[in-house]
Amino acid sequence: MDWAMKTKGYNQRRACALAGIDPRVYRHRSKRSADTELRTRMKELASERRRFGYRRLHILLQREGWQVNWKKLYRLYREEGLTVRKQGGRKCAVGTKTPMAIPQGPNQRWPLDFMSDALADGHRFRVLNVIDDFSRECLAGMVDTSIGGARVARELDRIAELRGYPCMVVSDNGTELTSNAILKWQKDRQVGWHYIAPGEPMQNGLVEDFNGRMREECLTEHLFPSLRHACRMIAAWRADYNHHRPHSCLAGLTPYEYATRSKEDQNLNRANLNQRTQRGAGQNLRREVSKLKEERDILKRVRSSSAIGPRTMVERLLRQGPALMFGFVAKHGGVWPVSWMCDALGVALSGFHTWLTRPRSDRSIRDEELSGAIRARFLRSDRIYGARRVWHELLEEGYSCGLHCVERLMRQAAFRARPKRRRPPKDEVTRSIIAANVLEREFDANGPNQKWVADFT
């Protein structure tokens, strides 16, 4: 508009007509306030806490008495160019996930883990983090160049003097946490200790998330000239985390505020957490049901198609349709409610219970007996027998079965024979040439230092 009026000399009405807007829109002047003080305070908080987004900044401003809508704050946040750089996405495992049990009180479960960082001169140091799953409080942030099992036990005793001993401690399989000092501490204090599976850090996901927050907001924001300075800065950040930093999983409260609430308020918060868990479980259920519905659609296409196989095969697939649905419900009964799955799959709940109490067929009884015999012979062979060798042994002992039956049962039980020799390499890279046999298998020598024979054991 301004360009057309200044450069071309058009009047306002003609320029608005060419641009396709009403002249009143061009003449309108916004009456919105500049919000200078709010913008200034928001930028100050964002500079102090660089990893906080607009949601946590909104909670901090509300604590200071600012009455502002979160949508308005988001607009100001974008106008000021305040953005938090997103971290790289993580790969998620595909499959059914069982939701973790939520603690119902303090001191029920303490996850702990180690972190590592370096001083300004390059010397490495470690941080032992201990949190409470119930209130998300950071109970300890011990900093030292070396932390052994005995030191971990003393730190846990120090925390227990203030809070009492926990019901369970969750950790990985590090050498410090599987040492004799820790094993003795568990036995003497009568405290359960759960070790997660190797290579599965998300089984202890709460402390892993806490480690990420500490690294983003403390370790990467400061340069530590000495170990004493690192201890002081980490202790200050831990106090700020427990008493001032809002926690999104606790409805914006700090861990200390949540731990000191009444039991009624804590029960209300646990109900909210259970609703979130159910929403996550519902998403996994919809994903699994969509896969199962694809298989059911395949069965329907088989029913409508007359060119696929003989009639007996079609009827066999159609008989497996309800069993496929009921088998899915029985398999995932401990993950989602049975009524949810029956509604999602479109099957009757009474039909599922009837399927559970159905009489066993002669084939299932015979397969169970054969499975036990196959398992015993497969394990007795040190897992090197294949289906054919196991089948021959069963025939020698008087069992009446076919080779295909043995292969099917071993496939269902995931029994695979270990290979006896190496398979040829999959790639086409040229391998190193084997050295020639200089001795030609003649090991006779007439004196010392004529032939040396070496080998690895």
Side-chain angles (χ1 to χ4, degrees):
M1 293 292 298
D2 294 336
W3 174 85
M5 295 170 62
K6 294 179 180 179
T7 306
K8 297 297 183 179
Y10 295 160
N11 56 19
Q12 187 182 102
R13 184 178 296 276
R14 184 178 180 185
C16 290
L18 292 175
I21 63 175
D22 194 275
R24 290 175 295 182
V25 177
Y26 175 74
R27 292 193 295 267
H28 176 73
R29 295 294 178 264
S30 176
K31 299 180 181 179
R32 183 181 292 169
S33 61
D35 297 320
T36 307
E37 297 181 359
L38 179 60
R39 292 172 185 265
T40 304
R41 184 54 184 162
M42 181 179 61
K43 289 191 289 186
E44 291 176 357
L45 291 175
S47 63
E48 295 174 1
R49 304 175 181 272
R50 297 169 55 184
R51 297 302 303 176
F52 276 20
Y54 73 94
R55 292 184 178 90
R56 283 200 172 94
L57 292 178
H58 182 228
I59 296 175
L60 295 179
L61 289 173
Q62 283 184 336
R63 289 180 182 176
E64 296 180 1
W66 293 89
Q67 299 297 329
V68 56
N69 190 358
W70 69 269
K71 291 180 285 187
K72 178 181 178 179
L73 184 68
Y74 178 68
R75 175 177 59 82
L76 300 178
Y77 184 83
R78 295 294 299 271
E79 290 177 359
E80 294 296 332
L82 302 175
T83 57
V84 179
R85 187 177 64 178
K86 294 182 179 180
Q87 303 293 332
R90 296 180 179 178
K91 295 182 180 180
C92 298
V94 178
T96 303
K97 301 178 179 62
T98 304
M100 183 182 295
I102 300 175
Q104 302 300 315
N107 291 348
Q108 290 191 2
R109 188 170 58 208
W110 289 1
L112 58 87
D113 197 11
F114 288 97
M115 296 183 64
S116 178
D117 204 3
L119 301 176
D121 56 2
H123 286 82
R124 307 293 297 181
F125 67 89
R126 306 184 74 189
V127 184
L128 173 65
N129 293 324
V130 184
I131 65 173
D132 191 329
D133 271 7
F134 177 71
S135 61
R136 307 298 199 272
E137 288 181 279
C138 179
L139 307 181
M142 186 174 60
V143 183
D144 207 339
T145 55
S146 178
I147 303 176
R151 183 75 182 279
V152 174
R154 290 198 302 268
E155 184 67 16
L156 293 176
D157 285 333
R158 185 192 65 81
I159 302 173
E161 291 178 359
L162 304 175
R163 301 174 55 93
Y165 286 99
C167 298
M168 177 183 294
V169 179
V170 184
S171 70
D172 55 13
N173 296 269
T175 54
E176 305 88 353
L177 305 176
T178 56
S179 60
N180 291 330
I182 293 297
L183 297 178
K184 183 177 182 300
W185 184 88
Q186 303 172 30
K187 184 178 180 180
D188 294 343
R189 273 67 173 180
Q190 298 296 321
V191 175
W193 198 293
H194 174 71
Y195 294 99
I196 63 175
E200 298 291 341
M202 290 315 297
Q203 291 183 3
N204 201 8
L206 292 177
V207 73
E208 294 292 341
D209 180 73
F210 175 81
N211 291 346
R213 301 287 81 74
M214 175 180 282
R215 187 168 297 279
E216 290 178 357
E217 300 176 10
C218 180
L219 299 184
T220 59
E221 296 292 327
H222 300 90
L223 187 64
F224 306 114
S226 63
L227 187 64
R228 180 176 298 178
H229 182 262
C231 294
R232 186 167 60 251
M233 297 302 297
I234 290 176
W237 182 86
R238 173 173 162 263
D240 178 78
Y241 176 87
N242 287 335
H243 296 87
H244 302 288
R245 185 184 185 276
H247 205 294
S248 59
C249 199
L250 303 178
L253 298 176
T254 65
Y256 178 77
E257 290 174 348
Y258 180 74
T260 55
R261 296 176 77 190
S262 62
K263 293 185 178 180
E264 292 77 8
D265 295 338
Q266 290 175 358
N267 292 333
L268 178 61
N269 188 271
R270 281 198 296 269
N272 295 334
L273 292 177
N274 290 332
Q275 291 177 1
R276 295 180 186 179
T277 304
Q278 290 179 1
R279 285 197 295 268
Q283 294 176 359
N284 294 334
L285 175 60
R286 286 191 292 271
R287 190 183 303 114
E288 295 290 336
V289 166
S290 62
K291 296 178 183 178
L292 196 61
K293 285 185 176 180
E294 292 179 1
E295 299 182 8
R296 187 176 63 179
D297 294 339
I298 294 175
L299 295 178
K300 290 182 178 179
R301 287 196 295 270
V302 169
R303 175 186 295 177
S304 60
S305 176
S306 58
I308 300 180
R311 177 176 295 180
T312 56
M313 181 181 296
V314 176
E315 293 177 351
R316 187 182 306 168
L317 289 174
L318 293 178
R319 285 197 302 268
Q320 291 178 357
L324 187 68
M325 305 296 178
F326 295 146
F328 176 86
V329 176
K331 180 180 178 181
H332 300 84
V335 181
W336 301 299
V338 175
S339 58
W340 285 13
M341 293 184 283
C342 291
D343 293 341
L345 295 174
V347 296
L349 184 61
S350 59
F352 169 68
H353 292 295
T354 304
W355 180 80
L356 284 180
T357 57
R358 70 191 186 283
R360 297 184 60 187
S361 61
D362 296 337
R363 179 181 177 182
S364 63
I365 297 174
R366 182 173 56 87
D367 287 350
E368 184 178 357
E369 181 183 358
L370 280 177
S371 297
I374 290 172
R375 178 182 179 84
R377 282 144 189 82
F378 180 74
L379 297 179
R380 189 173 60 190
S381 68
D382 198 17
R383 300 178 181 271
I384 63 174
Y385 276 12
R388 190 174 295 274
R389 294 284 297 274
V390 173
W391 176 58
H392 282 301
E393 285 203 357
L394 292 176
L395 292 181
E396 291 176 1
E397 296 185 9
Y399 285 92
S400 177
C401 59
L403 176 60
H404 295 291
C405 179
V406 176
E407 291 177 346
R408 174 176 59 85
L409 295 177
M410 291 187 68
R411 195 183 309 116
Q412 292 177 358
F415 289 159
R416 295 186 60 183
R418 293 185 298 183
K420 296 182 180 180
R421 62 179 184 275
R422 290 185 177 179
R423 298 180 180 179
K426 296 182 180 179
D427 53 358
E428 298 179 358
V429 179
T430 304
R431 301 297 175 182
S432 59
I433 301 175
I434 300 176
N437 187 4
V438 181
L439 298 178
E440 297 178 351
R441 296 187 179 181
E442 295 179 2
F443 298 94
D444 298 333
N446 298 325
N449 292 339
Q450 291 187 3
K451 298 178 182 179
W452 287 5
V453 181
D455 196 7
F456 291 99
T457 58

